[in-house]
Amino acid sequence: MECSTSNVNVPEDILRSINFEALEGALNIKFNNRGLLVEAITHGSQPSSSSSSGLPCYKRLELIGDAILADLITRHLFFLYKHLPTGRLTDLRAASVNNEYFARVAVKNNLHVHLRHASPALEKQIQDFVKEVQNEWLKPGFNFFGLSDCKAPKVLGDIVESIAGAIFLDSGRGISVVWKVFQPLLHPMVTPDTLPMHPVRELQERCGQQAELLEYRQSRSGNMATVEVFFDGVQIGIAQNPQTKMAQKLAARNALAALKEKEMAEAKEDDDENGKKAKEGDDENGKRKKNGSQTLTRQMLNDICFRWPYAKQFTFAARVNTTDRGWTDECVGDPMPSIKKAKDSAAVLLLELINRF
């Protein structure tokens, strides 16, 4: 394939308006074709990005830069952590190749100040985000690998990718040149030690281990999304946020905190009960769990069972009650390896029964 680069002639007034010394200094590279760099930092709201002016916005460079950074970061993680399980490598890549991380890379390296746009609303979003990121840096031990409560403007992650695309084309498709520039910009990269588990993932795994039914219920009122978390039909977490995904993350975090607080309270009750029974001389009874601490009991049973090869199965029943005919019936589905399939099995049987009536 022929290596095509941008042949756009950037007007002199635009070239004079860009601080190439600071921008190329931040990247630690000198561009042969500065038109590519101008294109990489030009947002669609900028008047000069219209088709009539001949100076395009960054979208096309973002497309190729996205793929290049994903490839480079995946290779880096794959060869650096040779003995890490595939699932953990996938988590590392997901934390390293996303808009939230790239947006913080843009702020950390002052790339955002060079963005060419003409949107006051976008400028406010960027400034609010920069302040939040600066506050994050002040938190001891904080890392921003996907768990921040502050949603990044998409444009900041986009220009990181578009700049990677510009370097790729300017260097004659030099993948190694892109990595040489971006490896220091991406520092510090996520490691197995600094990768926290996402609250949604942690809650899902916790419920899977304890064979509990986890359910999210979403609603929206105006500009605000509400997400509720139900654990075996009981609400244990709720959160609101303009972005649904952020509301889900915050609700899952609240649910985890509630579950941990409940377990700590139950453990304390168990200790108090055991201590009381020990004083009464009933050592045997003192070793038993309270009847109410069902979560701990199920967890202990699961821990034992996971040591042996066995097939996890779920069984659901579907019940119908009719007020007009006084008819009640229940269909128990077949044991299935997943909750969804078990529910579907029970639903199919009940539908067949209703159709017969």
Side-chain angles (χ1 to χ4, degrees):
M1 294 173 57
E2 292 295 327
C3 176
S4 59
T5 59
S6 175
N7 294 318
V8 175
N9 292 319
V10 182
E12 283 297 323
D13 60 327
I14 294 179
L15 290 174
R16 287 194 299 269
S17 69
I18 298 172
N19 188 346
F20 285 106
E21 183 179 356
L23 180 53
E24 292 180 329
L27 299 172
N28 195 25
I29 189 174
K30 292 289 184 181
F31 270 74
N32 299 308
N33 180 0
R34 283 182 166 175
L36 284 168
L37 187 54
V38 175
E39 181 181 337
I41 59 174
T42 300
H43 186 255
S45 63
Q46 189 72 15
S48 62
S49 67
S50 63
S51 57
S52 58
S53 69
L55 180 60
C57 72
Y58 62 69
K59 286 295 184 181
R60 187 171 178 83
L61 291 176
E62 177 208 347
L63 177 70
I64 187 66
D66 180 6
I68 291 168
L69 285 181
D71 174 58
L72 287 169
I73 293 173
T74 301
R75 283 198 234 176
H76 169 76
L77 296 172
F78 181 82
F79 290 109
L80 182 62
Y81 303 110
K82 297 180 180 180
H83 304 295
L84 209 61
T86 306
R88 193 64 172 163
L89 277 174
T90 301
D91 292 340
L92 287 174
R93 181 177 63 179
S96 306
V97 184
N98 63 74
N99 189 73
E100 295 294 315
Y101 175 49
F102 288 159
R104 285 164 172 80
V105 169
V107 173
K108 182 171 70 74
N109 295 283
N110 279 324
L111 302 180
H112 65 287
V113 302
H114 302 284
L115 176 66
R116 301 179 64 250
H117 71 91
S119 170
L122 179 59
E123 182 63 26
K124 185 179 184 307
Q125 291 177 17
I126 292 173
Q127 293 306 318
D128 290 346
F129 176 72
V130 171
K131 290 179 182 177
E132 290 290 339
V133 170
Q134 290 171 346
N135 290 332
E136 289 175 356
W137 293 340
L138 300 176
K139 299 176 184 177
F142 182 84
N143 69 65
F144 47 70
F145 298 112
L147 297 187
S148 171
D149 297 342
C150 178
K151 187 72 174 176
K154 185 176 183 297
V155 63
L156 296 184
D158 288 347
I159 62 170
V160 169
E161 295 169 340
S162 62
I163 289 173
I167 294 172
F168 172 70
L169 293 180
D170 188 63
S171 61
R173 294 182 297 173
I175 290 288
S176 60
V177 177
V178 178
W179 185 241
K180 182 180 179 181
V181 171
F182 269 86
Q183 191 171 16
L185 296 180
L186 296 172
H187 181 79
M189 292 189 67
V190 66
T191 69
D193 294 330
T194 59
L195 175 66
M197 185 175 289
H198 197 284
V200 174
R201 170 82 173 271
E202 183 179 352
L203 188 60
Q204 184 67 47
E205 292 190 0
R206 186 189 189 99
C207 294
Q209 290 174 355
Q210 298 178 3
E212 302 283 6
L213 177 60
L214 175 65
E215 181 184 4
Y216 290 94
R217 297 179 189 174
Q218 301 177 3
S219 60
R220 179 171 284 277
S221 177
N223 191 40
M224 192 63 64
T226 301
V227 176
E228 299 174 271
V229 182
F230 288 83
F231 199 57
D232 267 357
V234 178
Q235 187 200 76
I236 57 170
I238 185 171
Q240 291 183 320
N241 195 274
Q243 287 90 21
T244 302
K245 284 188 176 181
M246 183 63 71
Q248 183 186 32
K249 181 176 72 174
L250 296 176
R253 182 182 296 170
N254 293 338
L256 284 168
L259 288 175
K260 291 173 182 176
E261 183 178 346
K262 179 184 176 184
E263 288 187 358
M264 289 177 63
E266 289 176 345
K268 187 177 184 302
E269 289 180 9
D270 289 342
D271 291 341
D272 293 344
E273 184 70 15
N274 290 341
K276 180 180 177 181
K277 290 180 179 180
K279 289 179 181 179
E280 295 172 353
D282 191 356
D283 294 337
E284 184 62 29
N285 288 335
K287 295 177 183 177
R288 297 173 185 168
K289 293 287 184 184
K290 282 176 77 270
N291 291 334
S293 58
Q294 298 176 0
T295 303
L296 289 176
T297 303
R298 284 196 297 268
Q299 183 61 53
M300 291 169 60
L301 182 60
N302 272 281
D303 289 343
I304 294 172
C305 292
F306 276 130
R307 300 173 190 171
W308 303 322
Y310 80 105
K312 183 188 292 186
Q313 300 268 286
F314 298 93
T315 303
F316 269 83
R319 181 184 297 111
V320 62
N321 299 302
T322 59
T323 56
D324 55 340
R325 300 183 184 179
W327 172 60
T328 301
D329 212 328
E330 180 178 270
C331 295
V332 180
D334 297 326
M336 292 291 176
S338 72
I339 290 176
K340 183 180 182 301
K341 290 182 179 179
K343 284 183 176 180
D344 289 343
S345 175
V348 167
L349 294 177
L350 185 57
L351 281 170
E352 291 175 353
L353 184 64
I354 292 174
N355 286 333
R356 287 202 296 272
F357 276 81

